[in-house]
Amino acid sequence: RIAEEDEAVEAIASGLRKILNTTDPAGGLIVGDHLRRTEAIYDLEILPALLADDDHSGWAALDVLLRTLAVHTRGIIYVPSEGFCDADGEVILSEEDTPNPLMEPEQA
């Protein structure tokens, strides 16, 4: 259960904080509703060898795994550099639409 796992509780809280100041209210509503109903979180660690090679064949396998999990659990996928996506890989809420409230705006 999510409530019994500190890391899962923090992941959901972090996601909810991301949507507080979203510039995409529709995406924020969809993601927020989904996060509030979340029962399980699958956290995948990416090995440095994969991160170092954009053309690594492991990326395709990871894509299949994430989409399969999302389809079979009716879940969404969160990618830190991209945002929240559905099982088809379509962006629901982009990272660009969820400014980090802890970061100060850049000085002009």
Side-chain angles (χ1 to χ4, degrees):
R1 296 196 32 96
I2 292 287
E4 299 168 2
E5 299 291 332
D6 291 341
E7 288 182 47
V9 169
E10 179 51 38
I12 290 175
S14 175
L16 291 171
R17 282 192 302 272
K18 283 185 175 299
I19 64 172
L20 283 176
N21 297 316
T22 185
T23 58
D24 178 1
L29 281 172
I30 293 167
V31 171
D33 178 60
H34 188 86
L35 290 174
R36 287 181 192 89
R37 294 181 294 110
T38 297
E39 295 179 15
I41 294 176
Y42 299 89
D43 185 15
L44 303 175
E45 183 177 343
I46 308 298
L47 297 175
L50 188 60
L51 291 172
D53 183 0
D54 289 341
D55 295 325
H56 194 287
S57 61
W59 287 115
L62 180 62
D63 187 56
V64 169
L65 173 64
L66 291 173
R67 289 178 188 221
T68 299
L69 280 172
V71 166
H72 290 288
T73 63
R74 287 178 274 172
I76 59 176
I77 302 163
Y78 174 68
V79 180
S81 60
E82 296 177 25
F84 296 90
C85 305
D86 65 15
D88 293 325
E90 295 294 321
V91 176
I92 301 168
L93 186 63
S94 170
E95 275 291 298
E96 295 173 2
D97 296 329
T98 56
N100 184 340
L102 301 176
M103 294 181 68
E104 303 214 4
E106 292 183 46
Q107 300 294 323

